[in-house]
Amino acid sequence: MSDANDSLYLREDVYLEPLVNGWYAWPYLLPPVTGARHMVHTHRRIMSSFVKNHKLHMMAVKQPGMAGSEYLDCSEDQVADIRALVETIDTEHADLVELSDAVRELDELLREHTSGESIEPLYERVPEPLKGYVELSMDLEHRPSYRLIEGLLYRSKYYKPALQSLSLGRLDAKGDRPFVMSTPRLPTEQNLQLNADYNDPLIDALFRARTQPVSREQADALFAGRARRGGLDHRELFTEQAPARTHQPVGEGVRVQYLGHAGFLIETAQVSILVDPVIAPRGETFAEEVISFSELPPHIDYICITHHHQDHANLETLLQLRHKTGKILVPRNNGGSLADPSLRLLLRQFGFDAVEMDDMEELPVPGGRIVSIPFLGEHGDLNVRTKAAWFVELEGRRVLLAADSSNLEPRMYRHIADQLGALDIMAIGMECVGAPYTWLYGALHTKLVSRKIKESRRLNGSGYEQASRIAEMLEPSRIFLYALGLEPWYKYFMGIEYDEHSAQMVETGQMLEACERKGIPAERLYGKKTVML
């Protein structure tokens, strides 16, 4: 290390976007089969539409309320770049197109098998790309299905780390970032893109520099010899100014901090537990409203993930925290179903020590325990097992972080209440009108999903009636309503715009009024909050 005047820190307004074939990465894009389905039936479809009628897309994205829609937010001079991405899918990744097609062929094969007789002869008819990667089975009603052998698929030609890349940028003056879910990230004057997979040592070294300075020579060495695209010079990512806000250790008691959206940090002097982190870079506009990376502990003992969705299992944040993370706790997986890929297997591809926990399974930690709590709803009625709420008990204080849990069966919460006892804090997500079913799962279907199904099976969390009944059974001393997508700095992946008449605001308002009548402190969380227990 050079002298202090030569020390550089990664700027607080720098953000990372991990990409898959140019698209913002979230957990369904990386497992080979679900990734192939989304590449072909979401990305290629949207990009092809833009190439055919880019003016329609350009007009649509300018309309209010169109955030989160399936219109590309690109300019006319980027049509050629989008066309090239489509051609790349059809040529360089034709094997993934064939893998996606094989899912449809396998579905059709199994639909035709209605006799209930043995399915063993069907192995010979499994489409070639999936041969050896699936197990066929029958349920107790003699209906055929299959499971993907994910461990083999991650070691097959279909898992392509070369598809992974990184895009680095700095927040603009308003703290905004363009919406990521419907538009690929093309090189621009405002970003720096690198062909680096998620195991590249650059990632840990770069984001360690948020709090541990590097010399100019070391900063230059991180990027030396790398092919790069975009107009942002890597030197613009660094500053001589150390972060003004740093982590403050906990002396006594239990500190609970809300970090924005679904994120919580629970700490004692002995242990730190982070739940569903989506950490916001600190820009000028929201500097006082966020807890950013420099304020997190120097080592995070446990990160708990509630479910697959990109606002909870946020790869952008997790990769930036990897260098300082002990274990990641994830819900147990179904074991190879298309709609429910394994989070444990995915995270282990990127060097995380990921551990699965089953319903009501308990992990002892210094001064207490972490318990995985059953989680119903919010997944369009699919048999998705990879979902859990998290109960943390430290020094006799009890906190339940229930994220998007929906109270579909009140008796389950009665059973849970019998096991946990009264809570000091209950945090419940109340996105009571979620995204349409097909927003996340449409690409996995091999037959058209009707509009009626899309609307009926929205990805809904709890409304007032459901959340209030959970609270009645769990008897919390304090209630937080969260994971609503209220913070504008998360709009780049949430795409949510509320007004006072939105169902989510009306139902959370009812919950707050009911809590006030009962004398229970309650709050709709926004930005950051700290509570000492």
Side-chain angles (χ1 to χ4, degrees):
M1 181 68 68
S2 304
D3 61 59
N5 292 330
D6 195 33
S7 296
L8 298 178
Y9 294 86
L10 189 68
R11 296 179 60 96
E12 292 197 90
D13 61 356
V14 168
Y15 62 84
L16 166 71
E17 291 179 348
L19 306 180
V20 181
N21 198 36
W23 288 73
Y24 183 81
W26 58 283
Y28 274 49
L29 299 190
L30 289 152
V33 178
T34 57
R37 292 295 299 177
H38 277 277
M39 178 185 287
V40 174
H41 297 281
T42 302
H43 300 166
R44 188 176 68 173
R45 174 176 55 80
I46 296 174
M47 290 191 296
S48 297
S49 172
F50 178 81
V51 170
K52 291 177 182 177
N53 193 348
H54 63 273
K55 292 184 179 180
L56 172 63
H57 285 250
M58 292 169 62
M59 287 190 295
V61 296
K62 294 178 181 178
Q63 302 303 312
M66 293 304 289
S69 65
E70 290 194 341
Y71 290 100
L72 251 65
D73 187 6
C74 288
S75 61
E76 188 167 5
D77 60 5
Q78 292 174 314
V79 173
D81 293 326
I82 299 299
R83 182 183 292 110
L85 278 176
V86 174
E87 291 172 354
T88 297
I89 292 174
D90 292 335
T91 55
E92 296 180 26
H93 305 300
D95 55 344
L96 294 180
V97 177
E98 292 173 354
L99 182 64
S100 175
D101 291 343
V103 173
R104 173 183 49 77
E105 294 169 20
L106 182 57
D107 277 356
E108 291 173 355
L109 175 66
L110 296 181
R111 286 190 196 106
E112 293 170 357
H113 188 79
T114 58
S115 68
E117 297 175 355
S118 175
I119 56 173
E120 291 182 9
L122 297 186
Y123 275 100
E124 294 183 2
R125 299 172 58 192
V126 170
E128 187 63 34
L130 286 171
K131 279 189 180 295
Y133 295 119
V134 296
E135 178 185 15
L136 307 183
S137 61
M138 301 270 265
D139 67 16
L140 293 176
E141 296 299 323
H142 318 297
R143 292 171 297 209
S145 187
Y146 67 92
R147 76 173 184 94
L148 299 167
I149 305 174
E150 289 189 82
L152 277 178
L153 281 160
Y154 275 117
R155 288 159 178 79
S156 73
K157 68 177 183 178
Y158 300 116
Y159 178 62
K160 300 184 179 186
L163 282 174
Q164 300 165 18
S165 63
L166 308 175
S167 184
L168 297 162
R170 289 177 53 189
L171 297 177
D172 67 16
K174 295 182 179 179
D176 289 341
R177 293 163 61 180
F179 187 66
V180 297
M181 299 301 289
S182 60
T183 302
R185 288 316 212 208
L186 300 175
T188 70
E189 289 301 309
Q190 286 72 48
N191 64 31
L192 168 61
Q193 296 195 350
L194 303 169
N195 290 334
D197 66 44
Y198 305 158
N199 287 309
D200 194 304
L202 164 75
I203 296 174
D204 292 345
L206 181 63
F207 292 105
R208 191 179 286 115
R210 285 197 185 277
T211 54
Q212 301 175 37
V214 297
S215 68
R216 295 183 188 278
E217 292 78 8
Q218 289 171 324
D220 289 341
L222 289 175
F223 297 89
R226 294 179 180 271
R228 59 183 81 185
R229 300 178 302 279
L232 184 66
D233 190 286
H234 74 268
R235 295 176 183 85
E236 297 181 55
L237 304 175
F238 295 91
T239 177
E240 296 180 359
Q241 184 67 46
R245 300 169 179 83
T246 59
H247 177 254
Q248 302 302 308
V250 177
E252 297 181 353
V254 180
R255 183 168 67 197
V256 179
Q257 291 183 291
Y258 173 63
L259 306 178
H261 193 58
F264 270 91
L265 174 63
I266 305 176
E267 291 179 275
T268 67
Q270 297 176 292
V271 69
S272 57
I273 301 167
L274 194 55
V275 181
D276 280 359
V278 187
I279 308 301
R282 191 188 309 284
E284 290 184 16
T285 305
F286 305 116
E288 304 302 321
E289 298 179 86
V290 303
I291 294 175
S292 196
F293 289 95
S294 65
E295 296 168 87
L296 300 181
H299 179 78
I300 299 163
D301 296 297
Y302 301 96
I303 295 180
C304 303
I305 304 296
T306 58
H307 57 296
H308 282 110
H309 296 167
Q310 75 280 356
D311 55 326
H312 299 267
N314 185 254
L315 294 173
E316 169 188 343
T317 294
L318 295 177
L319 289 174
Q320 295 182 69
L321 298 178
R322 180 174 55 193
H323 69 277
K324 61 196 293 181
T325 297
K327 293 184 181 296
I328 292 192
L329 308 182
V330 299
R332 187 169 297 282
N333 172 253
N334 260 329
S337 71
L338 184 62
D340 194 18
S342 169
L343 264 181
R344 180 181 66 87
L345 284 177
L346 174 65
L347 291 170
R348 286 192 173 187
Q349 306 309 309
F350 310 133
F352 289 100
D353 184 3
V355 177
E356 283 189 342
M357 291 184 66
D358 214 332
D359 295 333
M360 299 306 295
E361 190 170 359
E362 181 176 315
L363 178 72
V365 300
R369 59 181 176 148
I370 301 173
V371 184
S372 175
I373 303 298
F375 174 164
L376 301 183
E378 219 259 341
H379 286 72
D381 302 325
L382 289 169
N383 183 19
V384 172
R385 192 179 176 192
T386 307
K387 55 186 191 294
W390 295 99
F391 171 78
V392 177
E393 183 174 15
L394 295 175
E395 298 186 6
R397 299 295 190 171
R398 299 180 177 90
V399 177
L400 176 66
L401 304 176
D404 297 336
S405 300
S406 184
N407 185 10
L408 304 181
E409 174 47 87
R411 284 170 292 186
M412 185 187 80
Y413 286 97
R414 171 49 58 202
H415 300 321
I416 291 171
D418 292 342
Q419 298 297 316
L420 301 186
L423 301 173
D424 291 282
I425 291 175
M426 181 186 87
I428 181 76
M430 289 186 63
E431 192 182 351
C432 54
V433 180
Y437 170 77
T438 50
W439 195 62
L440 292 184
Y441 302 115
L444 306 184
H445 280 267
T446 57
K447 294 180 70 175
L448 184 66
V449 178
S450 71
R451 180 178 297 275
K452 188 174 182 180
I453 289 175
K454 291 178 188 179
E455 294 301 319
S456 170
R457 295 170 62 182
R458 278 182 169 268
L459 311 184
N460 296 339
S462 285
Y464 163 66
E465 293 291 341
Q466 295 164 319
S468 62
R469 293 186 71 181
I470 295 175
E472 287 173 5
M473 288 179 277
L474 296 179
E475 299 180 340
S477 299
R478 190 168 192 165
I479 293 175
F480 291 138
L481 312 180
Y482 76 135
L484 291 164
L486 293 175
E487 295 94 348
W489 49 90
Y490 296 130
K491 188 178 176 181
Y492 71 95
F493 68 87
M494 292 297 295
I496 292 176
E497 298 179 71
Y498 294 132
D499 60 35
E500 60 181 330
H501 304 296
S502 299
Q504 296 89 335
M505 303 306 290
V506 171
E507 302 254 343
T508 52
Q510 290 178 306
M511 186 71 177
L512 294 174
E513 291 171 1
C515 289
E516 184 176 7
R517 290 194 299 269
K518 296 176 181 179
I520 302 173
E523 185 176 347
R524 186 192 289 132
L525 293 179
Y526 176 94
K528 66 179 182 180
K529 187 174 184 67
T530 299
V531 176
M532 293 300 303
L533 298 176

